[in-house]
Amino acid sequence: MNRRRDDEIRLLPDEFQRLRDLFNKHCGLQFGPEARTSMERRLRERVVELGLSSFAQYYEYLRFHSRGRAELDEALELITVNETYFFREDYQLRALMTELVPMIVKAGGARGRLSIWSAGCSTGEEVYSIAIAARESGAAERREVRIFGSDISRRCVIAARRGVYGASSFRATPPELKRRYFVERPDGFHVADELRTLCQFGHLNLLDSSRAAVVGRVDVIFCRNVLIYLDEESRRRVIDIFYERLSSGGFLLLGHSESLLNVTTAFELVHLREDLVYRKPAATLRLGIPEISPDRGGPERGGGEEGG
């Protein structure tokens, strides 16, 4: 059989529809018509590598081949956005240590241990930023701190565990913190061991509720710049999983362009000095902080931004 030239392999509209529906069913990602060109460019190499001659054959491979599930993971590695850096949206880190942790402790939570989940942690910068904030605030001295980072990308999880970063990851990092918590070596800046001891990473599809149980109960969830890539039904499923994983009185922090507006949830909206966050209510909480109720909704935060 004569194979078509690589540059002749095009992602036709009906093929794009089938592929994006498959990706959506697997992990909730949604792709608009404008994504067809980039998906074609990013996945064409996989089609060629597998010796296939069309995206229609690639779809069949993903659906029915014995290695289809592994290839699905490979495809998601190529089409997902994983841009991040240390201390992104750092006002939330300030809020975490100066407002949220004291609230949790006052309400009787985090007895001896503070547990935090970074859901969609990309290559790990967010997790290590949280660890630095815990160290700098003294929270890691007063109690055990556990930070778990998860991502749907296996490559991102491997990179996060390795903990070696280039200059672009430090665009918002204060120089003194870079010197204190990273060791410069020929291959990049290595995360110091005192941070590594606080952090764990794992591969996780946020729609997989049974796998999410391995996270255990947590006091705080960071899920920033993830929900904007999911369809409405998937967002609802993920929010339900977050609610289940949070301890009573625990907090959910979203990206600045995200909110739970139009998503019916049991979360309470809490106003902080620099942010709006969501809390899983507990009947015994009487913290005297303003909330918006009864609809649990909140204003959209301005602007849009891609992120991991």
Side-chain angles (χ1 to χ4, degrees):
M1 179 181 72
N2 293 325
R3 277 223 331 247
R4 296 162 67 181
R5 290 202 334 263
D6 298 354
D7 59 0
E8 291 179 343
I9 299 176
R10 295 283 182 255
L11 179 56
L12 303 177
D14 62 321
E15 296 168 339
F16 171 66
Q17 181 69 51
R18 280 181 283 173
L19 283 174
R20 75 176 188 177
D21 288 350
L22 182 61
F23 296 141
N24 177 262
K25 182 177 180 181
H26 177 64
C27 63
L29 288 174
Q30 58 180 349
F31 297 93
E34 72 284 351
R36 181 158 66 100
T37 300
S38 63
M39 188 179 292
E40 175 186 273
R41 184 180 67 254
R42 295 179 182 188
L43 295 182
R44 182 186 286 126
E45 181 180 340
R46 294 305 307 158
V47 176
V48 174
E49 185 74 20
L50 293 170
L52 307 175
S53 61
S54 69
F55 280 96
Q57 290 184 359
Y58 187 60
Y59 172 80
E60 295 297 315
Y61 187 99
L62 291 172
R63 285 287 312 278
F64 304 115
H65 196 277
S66 59
R67 290 201 71 258
R69 184 59 180 267
E71 181 60 29
L72 187 57
D73 286 343
E74 186 73 25
L76 288 170
E77 298 279 2
L78 296 173
I79 63 175
T80 50
V81 177
N82 295 306
E83 164 66 15
T84 188
Y85 50 88
F86 292 106
F87 293 96
R88 186 178 189 176
E89 299 179 13
D90 63 342
Y91 61 88
Q92 290 193 328
L93 297 176
R94 290 193 296 271
L96 172 67
M97 293 306 163
T98 63
E99 298 182 81
L100 299 187
V101 171
M103 288 182 198
I104 292 168
V105 172
K106 182 178 179 181
R111 291 191 178 90
R113 182 163 92 165
L114 176 67
S115 296
I116 301 170
W117 177 16
S118 170
C121 70
S122 187
T123 46
E125 286 93 332
E126 178 173 275
V127 173
Y128 293 122
S129 296
I130 296 169
I132 291 173
R135 286 288 188 190
E136 289 294 298
S137 69
E141 297 174 3
R142 294 189 294 271
R143 61 184 53 80
E144 179 186 353
V145 174
R146 166 186 171 266
I147 309 163
F148 179 72
S150 70
D151 202 273
I152 196 170
S153 167
R154 295 182 188 277
R155 286 180 185 155
C156 282
V157 170
I158 291 170
R161 287 172 176 159
R162 183 167 178 257
V164 180
Y165 299 95
S168 65
S169 292
F170 295 94
R171 69 190 76 166
T173 305
E176 65 275 12
L177 296 183
K178 185 177 178 182
R179 288 191 297 269
R180 191 175 306 157
Y181 293 106
F182 297 87
V183 179
E184 185 175 8
R185 294 175 183 161
D187 59 341
F189 292 87
H190 290 239
V191 175
D193 288 343
E194 65 179 295
L195 295 186
R196 288 181 176 276
T197 59
L198 307 181
C199 306
Q200 296 176 298
F201 298 92
H203 173 253
L204 180 64
N205 180 344
L206 291 179
L207 293 187
D208 189 341
S209 57
S210 59
R211 278 281 294 154
V214 305
V215 177
R217 294 288 180 186
V218 296
D219 302 295
V220 180
I221 296 175
F222 282 76
C223 184
R224 307 193 295 184
N225 306 304
V226 174
L227 298 181
I228 53 176
Y229 296 105
L230 304 182
D231 65 80
E232 183 176 344
E233 177 58 29
S234 297
R235 282 197 297 271
R236 293 179 188 277
R237 289 173 59 188
V238 170
I239 293 302
D240 286 345
I241 289 172
F242 288 162
Y243 192 87
E244 172 61 27
R245 289 297 96 214
L246 277 171
S247 299
S248 294
F251 292 93
L252 169 65
L253 285 72
L254 303 179
H256 79 272
S257 61
E258 300 170 304
S259 80
L260 300 187
L261 185 68
N262 299 324
V263 179
T264 302
T265 78
F267 280 102
E268 300 169 338
L269 181 65
V270 177
H271 291 259
L272 304 179
R273 287 191 290 268
E274 298 181 84
D275 199 15
L276 302 175
V277 299
Y278 298 91
R279 183 180 63 195
K280 179 176 179 176
T284 57
L285 288 181
R286 293 294 185 270
L287 301 181
I289 49 182
E291 298 162 6
I292 290 179
S293 61
D295 62 319
R296 311 303 192 199
E300 288 284 3
R301 295 169 191 152
E305 185 174 358
E306 290 189 344

